[in-house]
C-alpha cells in the first residue's frame, strides 16, 4: 500500500514542478523581451498553447495541461492574457527569417 501512496505523491509533485517550470519559462521570456502579452489557445487533448508576444515583437509558445493551468501560470508570471487575437497584437509580432523559410519549405513540399 505504501507504494501506491508514494506514486501519488510523486505524480502530484511532478505536476507542481511542471507548473513552476512553465511559470519560470514565461517570466524568462517576458524579462528577455521587455514584457509580454499572452494568448491562450485550447488544443484538445494536448491541453493549451500559450503564445507569448514580447514587446519587441519576438514571439514564442509553450504548452500547458489545460487552459486553466495556462491562465494561472500567466497570472503568476505577471503576463497579461488577451481574450483573442487582436489586430494590434498581431501587428506587433515579427516572425523570424527562420520561420519564414520553414513555412516556405512546407508550401513547396506540397
Amino acid at each position: 500500500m505504501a507504494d501506491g501512496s508514494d506514486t501519488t505523491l510523486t505524480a502530484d509533485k511532478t505536476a507542481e514542478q511542471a507548473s513552476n517550470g512553465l511559470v519560470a519559462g514565461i517570466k524568462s521570456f517576458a524579462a528577455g523581451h521587455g514584457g509580454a502579452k499572452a494568448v491562450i489557445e485550447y488544443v484538445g487533448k494536448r491541453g493549451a498553447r500559450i503564445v507569448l508576444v514580447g514587446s519587441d515583437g519576438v514571439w514564442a509558445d509553450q504548452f500547458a495541461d489545460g487552459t486553466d493551468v495556462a491562465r494561472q501560470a500567466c497570472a503568476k508570471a505577471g503576463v497579461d492574457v488577451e481574450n483573442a487575437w487582436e489586430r494590434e497584437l498581431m501587428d506587433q509580432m515579427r516572425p523570424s527569417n527562420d520561420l519564414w523559410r520553414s513555412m516556405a519549405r512546407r508550401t513547396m513540399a506540397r
Side-chain angles (χ1 to χ4, degrees):
M1 282 191 220
D3 290 337
S5 62
D6 288 343
T7 304
T8 303
L9 290 174
T10 303
D12 290 342
K13 190 174 182 181
T14 303
E16 184 179 325
Q17 288 172 344
S19 177
N20 289 340
L22 183 61
V23 172
I26 294 170
K27 279 184 181 179
S28 174
F29 179 86
H33 298 283
K37 292 186 179 181
V39 177
I40 297 173
E41 301 172 337
Y42 174 71
V43 290
K45 290 181 181 179
R46 171 90 165 123
R49 177 182 182 205
I50 306 169
V51 181
L52 299 165
V53 181
S55 296
D56 59 358
V58 175
W59 61 279
D61 60 356
Q62 295 201 12
F63 282 89
D65 291 336
T67 56
D68 56 337
V69 174
R71 286 189 183 281
Q72 289 173 357
C74 289
K76 285 181 183 177
V79 172
D80 292 333
V81 176
E82 299 289 323
N83 290 328
W85 283 104
E86 299 292 334
R87 182 181 182 91
E88 293 82 19
L89 187 60
M90 291 179 70
D91 286 345
Q92 184 178 340
M93 294 176 75
R94 300 286 175 246
S96 68
N97 288 335
D98 292 336
L99 179 63
W100 284 117
R101 279 192 288 273
S102 76
M103 288 190 295
R105 274 181 270 168
R106 287 184 204 144
T107 303
M108 300 288 232
R110 291 184 188 177

